[in-house]
Amino acid sequence: MVDNAILVISDLQDIVEAENNTIEMNLLCESAGVHVIEEYHFKRQKPDPNYHMGTGHADMLSTVIAEIHADVIIFSEDLSPAQIRNLERVTDCRVVDRTQLILDIFAQRAKSNEGKIQVELAQLQYLLPRLTGKGIEMSRIGGGSGGGVATRGPGETKLETDRRRIKDKITNLKKDLDIAVKQRQISSKERLNSNIPLVSLIGYTSAGKSTLLNKLSNESVFADKMLFATLDPVTRRVAIPLMSDIFLTDTVGFLSRLPHGIIAAFRSTLEETKNADILIHVVDATHHDMEGQIDSVNKVLKELKWLDKPVIMAFNKIDKLDSTDFLREIIANYKYSTYISALTGDGIENLFNVLKEVILTLMLPIKIMLPFDKGDLLAICYKHGKVTKCEHLDTGTYIEVSLPQEITYYFQDYKV
Ligand SMILES: Nc1nc2c(ncn2[C@@H]2O[C@H](COP(=O)(O)OP(=O)(O)OP(=O)(O)O)[C@@H](O)[C@H]2O)c(=O)[nH]1
Ligand SMILES: [Mg+2]
C-alpha cells in the first residue's frame, strides 16, 4: 500500500539549511515508499508544546488534509507523545514523525536476524512512551508490510497489546539480540585475531560506500540511490596490491540530525566498525551540501567516540565532476585524502596507496626477548611504542609492546 502523504516541514532559520532539509525529507519519504502529494511549510522560533506548529497552523493543516485526502502526515521533526496525539485528534489523520519514518525505512531494509531485532527493538522503545495516557492506536505497529508507512516491522502486536506486553517483548528482544551479537562476534573475533587490518567504510547515506565495497571486492552488495540502502554490516576480504589483505566492512550510512535513540539502537550494527583500525570516510563530492554532510558524519563519530582512528577521506563520484579544483582547499584540511569514482574505479590505485601509508603507521602488539646488548632497540620500544610489560630476566629483557608496523621489522629476530 502506498501512502499519500502531506509532508509538514518546520523550516529552519537558515535558508540553505531549510532547503537541504526539505530535499532530504522528500528523499526519506521516497526511500520509505511514501508518495508526497503536498508540502506544508511553517516557521516557528520555539516549538509549541501542544502541536509543535501552533494552533493556527494545525487548523489550517486540517483543512488542507481534508481537501487533498492525505492518508498520513509526515512531520520533519520528532514529536512528543502528546504532540502526536493532539495533531492526530485535530487533523483526524495519522502522524508519523522523523524518527518513525527513518525506522520504517530501516524495517524495510533489515535482512539479517540481528538487523531485524534491532529495528523492532528501536521501534518498540520509541513507541513505548507514546502509549501512555489514553494510548495511541496500536494498529500502527504490527501487520507485516501491508499497513503503510511506520506500521512495518514488529510482528504480531495487535490493538489490545498493552504496555506490559511491549515491555516483555523488549526484554525478550534484548536477549535475542545478545545471542545474535554473540554469534556474529565469533566470526569477527577471528578477524580481530588475524592481524589483518580492519578497515571500515563510513559516510553519509548514499555517498557510495556499498558501491566502493563492490568495486574493491568484486561483489554485488545492494547499492541504490535510496537513502539507507544498507543496514546490515557486510565484511569482505580485499587484496591490496603488494601488501597484505584487509578486511573491509560496509555498514549503515549516517544522516544529519540522526536521532540519538537511533544511534544507540544501532550500536550492534556499528560494532564491526568500532573495532576497525582505519576508517574510510566516503564523501559524495557532487552533493550540493558536501561539507554539511562531512560535518554530520564527524558529529556521529564524535558521539561514538571514534575520533582516535585514522581516517582516510575518499571524495567519491568524481566521474560526475568536470573539475576537482574546488576540492583542493577542502582536501588540504585532511592528513589522508584521495579522489575516487567507486563506479568507474578511477582513483582506486591512489586510494590503495593512501591505505598502505596508513596501514604502515598502525600499531602491532608484539612480544620480544632482547639480548642485553640491544639497548638501542629497547630505547626504540619506549620512544615509538607503547610498552605494556618489561621484565629484566637472566637471559635478557622480556618486553610486550605495541609498535608501528613499519618498525616491527627491526624486531623480527627477537620475537617470542
Ligand atoms: N556517478 C557515480 N555514482 C555513484 C558512485 N558511487 C556510488 N554512486 C551511486 O550513488 C548511489 C548510492 O550508492 P551506494 O553505494 O548505495 O551508497 P551507500 O553509501 O552505500 O548508501 P547507504 O547504504 O544508503 O548508506 C547509487 O545509485 C550508486 O550507483 C560514483 O563513483 N559515481
Ligand atoms: Mg550502502
Side-chain angles (χ1 to χ4, degrees):
M1 184 185 110
V2 177
D3 282 294
N4 283 327
I6 179 160
L7 177 55
V8 177
I9 297 189
S10 165
D11 273 327
L12 305 165
Q13 292 304 322
D14 183 288
I15 294 174
V16 179
E17 269 184 43
E19 215 167 278
N20 289 336
N21 189 35
T22 303
I23 294 170
E24 192 157 273
M25 280 310 298
N26 273 290
L27 271 172
L28 282 171
C29 287
E30 194 187 319
S31 302
V34 172
H35 182 218
V36 176
I37 51 172
E38 180 87 27
E39 277 180 25
Y40 186 97
H41 290 256
F42 70 96
K43 228 181 204 146
R44 226 189 130 80
Q45 291 284 8
K46 216 170 130 232
D48 170 84
N50 294 323
Y51 300 100
H52 195 294
M53 62 194 317
T55 330
H57 275 298
D59 286 338
M60 178 79 93
L61 184 62
S62 313
T63 315
V64 177
I65 287 171
E67 262 171 37
I68 61 168
H69 303 294
D71 310 312
V72 61
I73 299 169
I74 307 274
F75 217 95
S76 70
E77 306 297 308
D78 282 342
L79 300 172
S80 73
Q83 286 167 338
I84 291 190
R85 262 199 310 277
N86 293 337
L87 276 170
E88 288 190 337
R89 196 181 321 116
V90 75
T91 59
D92 197 23
C93 188
R94 207 154 58 86
V95 175
V96 169
D97 69 7
R98 192 166 183 274
T99 291
Q100 283 174 318
L101 183 66
I102 295 172
L103 285 175
D104 184 77
I105 300 173
F106 284 4
Q108 294 180 56
R109 299 287 186 277
K111 296 278 177 300
S112 74
N113 190 27
E114 186 180 344
K116 285 180 185 159
I117 298 171
Q118 279 186 105
V119 176
E120 185 166 358
L121 241 182
Q123 284 183 317
L124 291 178
Q125 279 169 336
Y126 196 71
L127 273 176
L128 190 61
R130 283 153 181 82
L131 291 168
T132 49
K134 278 201 213 147
I136 204 162
E137 310 79 56
M138 285 305 301
S139 56
R140 70 167 51 223
I141 55 170
S145 58
V149 65
T151 67
R152 282 167 282 246
E156 43 90 44
T157 323
K158 294 187 191 69
L159 256 166
E160 72 273 17
T161 310
D162 58 8
R163 273 174 67 87
R164 185 72 254 150
R165 274 191 55 193
I166 292 199
K167 277 188 178 160
D168 288 347
K169 184 119 207 226
I170 287 178
T171 312
N172 287 335
L173 282 171
K174 281 186 176 159
K175 281 186 201 148
D176 291 348
L177 185 60
D178 275 350
I179 296 169
V181 168
K182 282 206 183 93
Q183 276 166 352
R184 182 178 42 72
Q185 277 173 343
I186 296 169
S187 53
S188 49
K189 201 165 170 199
E190 279 165 24
R191 290 199 280 275
L192 270 178
N193 293 334
S194 65
N195 257 347
I196 293 179
L198 306 179
V199 181
S200 226
L201 297 167
I202 55 157
Y204 211 79
T205 177
S206 242
K209 301 176 291 299
S210 302
T211 308
L212 182 59
L213 181 86
N214 287 341
K215 194 78 197 170
L216 298 183
S217 63
N218 295 323
E219 290 262 351
S220 53
V221 170
F222 180 60
D224 196 89
K225 69 175 178 9
M226 293 287 165
L227 303 187
F228 298 117
T230 308
L231 185 66
D232 298 312
V234 179
T235 301
R236 294 285 176 264
R237 197 170 171 141
V238 172
I240 302 202
L242 304 176
M243 194 162 215
S244 69
D245 292 357
I246 56 163
F247 281 122
L248 188 64
T249 299
D250 175 28
T251 187
V252 61
F254 299 163
L255 191 76
S256 71
R257 302 190 298 132
L258 201 59
H260 193 90
I262 291 192
I263 298 179
F266 288 87
R267 273 195 199 278
S268 141
T269 293
L270 294 167
E271 201 166 307
E272 295 275 313
T273 303
K274 188 179 84 187
N275 294 324
D277 301 304
I278 300 168
L279 304 177
I280 300 180
H281 180 165
V282 182
V283 177
D284 180 352
T286 66
H287 197 278
H288 62 276
D289 188 30
M290 175 182 76
E291 289 182 76
Q293 296 198 334
I294 294 176
D295 286 346
S296 302
V297 172
N298 286 338
K299 266 189 204 140
V300 180
L301 289 185
K302 196 169 168 197
E303 189 156 340
L304 293 167
K305 303 200 173 68
W306 287 349
L307 292 175
D308 57 334
K309 297 181 193 295
V311 180
I312 299 171
M313 302 295 289
F315 290 87
N316 189 31
K317 309 197 185 180
I318 50 161
D319 56 290
K320 273 168 66 182
L321 293 174
D322 294 332
S323 154
T324 49
D325 287 351
F326 74 100
L327 285 172
R328 226 170 262 155
E329 219 172 286
I330 301 167
I331 279 187
N333 294 326
Y334 301 101
K335 191 165 176 197
Y336 306 110
S337 58
T338 180
Y339 311 112
I340 55 163
S341 165
L343 203 63
T344 64
D346 233 18
I348 297 293
E349 229 169 88
N350 291 339
L351 175 64
F352 279 152
N353 287 335
V354 182
L355 250 178
K356 281 185 209 170
E357 192 184 334
V358 182
I359 288 172
L360 285 177
T361 66
L362 290 181
M363 303 287 263
L364 264 191
I366 54 167
K367 295 172 182 170
I368 45 177
M369 181 70 105
L370 286 181
F372 292 119
D373 62 347
K374 292 291 173 192
D376 50 340
L377 289 184
L378 184 63
I380 288 181
C381 286
Y382 276 101
K383 186 161 181 217
H384 298 285
K386 252 192 233 155
V387 178
T388 47
K389 197 171 200 176
C390 179
E391 285 173 14
H392 298 285
L393 308 174
D394 292 344
T395 46
T397 311
Y398 172 75
I399 305 156
E400 291 181 11
V401 60
S402 288
L403 286 170
Q405 189 152 329
E406 71 217 62
I407 56 175
T408 54
Y409 166 78
Y410 297 108
F411 297 85
Q412 212 61 21
D413 295 341
Y414 308 108
K415 277 192 186 166
V416 288

